[in-house]
Amino acid sequence: MDLIERIDRWGAVAPEATAHISDRKTLTYGQLRRRSDALASYLTERFGDDRSPIAVLGHREPEMLIAFLGAVKSCRPYVPLDTALPQQRIDKILATSGAALVLTPEDVRQLPESQMRCPSRGLQGDGPFYVLFTSGSTGEPKGVIITLACLEHFVTWMLAEHRFTEFGEVFLNQAPFSFDLSVMDLYCGLATGGTLFSISRDLIANPKELYRALTSSGVTTWVSTPSFAQMCLVEEKFSETMLPRVRRFLFCGETLTPQTAGLLLKRFPRAEVWNTYGPTEATVATTSIRVDAEILKQYSALPVGRTMPGSEIAIVNGNREVLPVNQRGEIIIAGPNVSPGYLARPDLTADAFFQYRGQRAYRTGDLGRFRDNLLFFEGRIDDQIKLSGYRIELGDVEANLRAMATVRDAIVLPVIKDGAAQSLAAFVLLAARDETSHFNLSYRLRNQLSERLPAYMLPRKFIFLDAFPMTPNGKVDRASLAKSL
Ligand code: AMP
């Protein structure tokens, strides 16, 4: 039974069970099955042999799940897009993905619900399941292809490690569907007949409403970025009293600090806290560790854990030679969870993907080391950063700034506090002298940039210079710019 059949089985054995809750709207497993079948039939009829991806543009609507499954049941990958993205970014992604269609929740709603079984089953293991777009260093988002086999390798591991109770779990869905962290709650939830409890961005922006929603959520498995949990912990009532059923916190995507883990263990003494690590290119997470009092006592920087069975992680030097234990180098990941590459970008694929000991492998650009048989993440080789869990290539923001007529050159750097990026700062050389105040210039640039980039990629601070400081070998001196922040 593959993952799709597994999800569909709930539609047959427990059609009234709740698959998804979002903004008080619910979707049952029966509806999910029937309506995704109907959508698959429609897509097959409309597009025949054309297996181009189906873009799905929405936020947390139940129809998003129907659209995802409808697409894959018709053997087409889906490209999840969040409505928070500016139109220009969406247009770029659509152009790269070659999507046959952009489906919105409204489109899915209008499709007649049919009892018809989907005629064309049979997505093969190596068939693309979804394509997720992430920030690319040249300003062009890159689409990571994840196959059914990649996803099944990941979900099988998660299910074995956590032994989720069938029909007994409520998974928190905090990450938008356009980020791969959401794949953890979405497919662990659907594979086990659980309920996905989505919190919309309106709720996240309104703490009072958010805590109210959490209180009534019945969440048993919390999946979020550490940043989001940190934000929730500011409220003292965020504890076992608010979420009495929570049994585990699963984190991925950025550094989990001992402070956050320690506070969670104190406020939720009956829950487990897990740190997991991995890039989108290796399907959500490849390593994991349960962080308990013992681990907290032993390590001041938390490990990201042990590698999932069937996959391999090695630490390599610049020549891709494997380094001994305890030496710092680049983390490479090999195994069935590694993506076949970037959609329509053989150049980027050849740079980042290769064969390692007979398996597909990915060069993460992350620095790390093995110690005590555990992997430790120790930063980046390049200019990719994490800001509130969002992956950002600084070069992406720079390229979009440079594309503006008023900007001659730009360097973007993270503003670091307590070892983590808090915001972005842009150093800008203007194309022509401008007497407008810096305040107004910043406002204008930020506004223009917001038409091209999502809000989390916008610099908070703009600093206007006549020239960049240079290193003795003629490169922009980023270190001295960073010091000036
Ligand atoms: P994304 O593709 O958005 O999931 O981002 C992947 C990157 O996030 C990784 O390459 C790491 O740089 C970072 N990352 C993921 N998990 C962790 C973790 N547990 N601790 C620290 N950094 C992480």
Side-chain angles (χ1 to χ4, degrees):
M1 195 167 32
D2 72 14
L3 181 64
I4 306 167
E5 289 160 340
R6 215 184 153 113
I7 298 169
D8 262 357
R9 196 164 65 92
W10 307 128
V13 301
E16 296 309 319
T18 305
H20 186 220
I21 304 179
S22 168
D23 268 344
R24 294 190 196 88
K25 279 182 257 151
T26 59
L27 177 75
T28 65
Y29 274 96
Q31 289 167 330
L32 178 61
R33 175 175 164 148
R34 282 193 308 276
R35 296 179 61 192
S36 58
D37 277 351
L39 176 59
S41 307
Y42 166 78
L43 294 173
T44 305
E45 217 165 274
R46 177 160 168 196
F47 295 108
D49 289 336
D50 175 1
R51 296 283 162 83
S52 306
I54 302 295
V56 184
L57 174 63
H59 186 46
R60 317 277 187 165
E61 299 83 355
E63 288 80 7
M64 298 292 280
L65 277 67
I66 298 169
F68 298 163
L69 288 187
V72 292
K73 282 179 176 180
S74 80
C75 297
R76 291 168 180 83
Y78 63 88
V79 182
L81 296 171
D82 197 277
T83 41
L85 287 173
Q87 192 58 44
Q88 284 193 33
R89 192 83 170 172
I90 292 175
D91 291 343
K92 269 187 183 176
I93 293 176
L94 291 178
T96 311
S97 70
L101 177 72
V102 183
L103 275 178
T104 64
E106 191 52 37
D107 299 332
V108 176
R109 233 167 275 147
Q110 282 173 6
L111 212 76
E113 192 174 316
S114 120
Q115 297 297 323
M116 171 168 42
R117 292 286 302 150
C118 167
S120 73
R121 272 297 153 79
L123 180 66
Q124 299 298 306
D126 60 358
F129 196 97
Y130 61 75
V131 182
L132 277 189
F133 277 81
T134 79
S135 180
S137 58
T138 55
E140 299 298 319
K142 40 186 192 184
V144 181
I145 303 169
I146 295 298
T147 63
L148 173 62
C150 292
L151 182 58
E152 287 192 323
H153 189 67
F154 167 70
V155 172
T156 305
W157 169 59
M158 289 294 293
L159 265 48
E161 185 143 88
H162 297 287
R163 303 185 175 280
F164 302 112
T165 315
E166 284 191 356
F167 289 119
E169 304 280 348
V170 179
F171 288 78
L172 178 74
N173 163 240
Q174 172 255 327
F177 293 125
S178 48
F179 289 94
D180 88 326
L181 176 59
S182 67
V183 168
M184 188 185 282
D185 39 80
L186 175 58
Y187 290 107
C188 289
L190 294 183
T192 55
T195 301
L196 190 70
F197 184 88
S198 284
I199 43 176
S200 65
R201 57 173 167 269
D202 293 344
L203 268 188
I204 294 175
N206 184 339
K208 232 180 171 172
E209 290 294 315
L210 171 67
Y211 293 124
R212 193 171 303 153
L214 287 177
T215 306
S216 62
S217 67
V219 161
T220 60
T221 297
W222 176 285
V223 181
S224 82
T225 55
S227 296
F228 182 70
Q230 242 163 285
M231 186 194 92
C232 292
L233 281 165
V234 170
E235 167 61 61
E236 278 184 21
K237 284 195 216 114
F238 181 72
S239 67
E240 205 178 51
T241 328
M242 181 182 285
L243 290 162
R245 293 187 65 211
V246 77
R247 288 293 167 268
R248 56 183 87 73
F249 288 86
L250 307 180
F251 293 113
C252 193
E254 59 178 346
T255 300
L256 174 67
T257 63
Q259 291 76 11
T260 302
L263 204 48
L264 283 170
L265 288 175
K266 207 163 132 201
R267 300 248 191 113
F268 298 87
R270 287 185 297 169
E272 298 177 355
V273 172
W274 288 76
N275 190 14
T276 73
Y277 155 86
T280 303
E281 287 84 344
T283 323
V284 193
T286 309
T287 72
S288 70
I289 185 165
R290 181 177 165 195
V291 179
D292 56 14
E294 201 54 39
I295 295 283
L296 278 175
K297 207 162 75 189
Q298 210 171 338
Y299 301 106
S300 56
L302 295 177
V304 295
R306 296 176 194 85
T307 312
M308 67 190 345
S311 297
E312 228 184 308
I313 284 191
I315 304 295
V316 300
N317 64 16
N319 299 324
R320 286 207 194 137
E321 290 154 350
V322 177
L323 295 172
V325 166
N326 225 343
Q327 273 200 35
R328 174 200 252 209
E330 183 175 13
I331 300 172
I332 60 159
I333 301 176
N337 54 318
V338 172
S339 153
Y342 299 111
L343 186 65
R345 290 305 302 264
D347 52 336
L348 296 179
T349 302
D351 273 355
F353 294 87
F354 60 104
Q355 285 290 313
Y356 177 76
R357 302 196 344 165
Q359 301 212 80
R360 214 165 46 243
Y362 173 64
R363 202 167 61 68
T364 62
D366 289 330
L367 288 169
R369 78 177 77 211
F370 275 107
R371 206 177 119 203
D372 305 337
N373 275 326
L374 297 171
L375 181 67
F376 287 78
F377 167 85
E378 298 185 351
R380 290 286 305 174
I381 285 170
D382 56 15
D383 291 332
Q384 181 182 301
I385 63 150
K386 279 284 170 137
L387 182 58
S388 307
Y390 292 112
R391 169 169 160 179
I392 301 174
E393 289 282 357
L394 297 175
D396 195 349
V397 189
E398 288 168 359
N400 278 283
L401 265 171
R402 287 189 198 118
M404 292 180 181
T406 50
V407 174
R408 178 154 57 88
D409 205 352
I411 296 288
V412 175
L413 293 174
V415 178
I416 310 278
K417 213 178 127 204
D418 299 330
Q422 301 292 322
S423 61
L424 294 179
F427 294 88
V428 174
L429 308 184
L430 292 173
R433 232 188 136 67
D434 195 322
E435 296 308 323
T436 318
S437 72
H438 283 182
F439 179 82
N440 285 340
L441 274 176
S442 304
Y443 180 79
R444 204 197 301 155
L445 273 185
R446 204 167 188 281
N447 248 345
Q448 289 170 343
L449 204 56
S450 71
E451 288 169 16
R452 313 172 67 99
L453 292 176
Y456 64 83
M457 288 177 80
L458 301 178
R460 186 175 294 166
K461 200 168 162 187
F462 289 86
I463 299 135
F464 298 93
L465 301 175
D466 294 326
F468 292 137
M470 291 292 176
T471 62
N473 52 10
K475 288 187 180 171
V476 175
D477 191 346
R478 287 176 169 259
S480 99
L481 288 174
K483 256 190 236 147
S484 72
L485 285 172

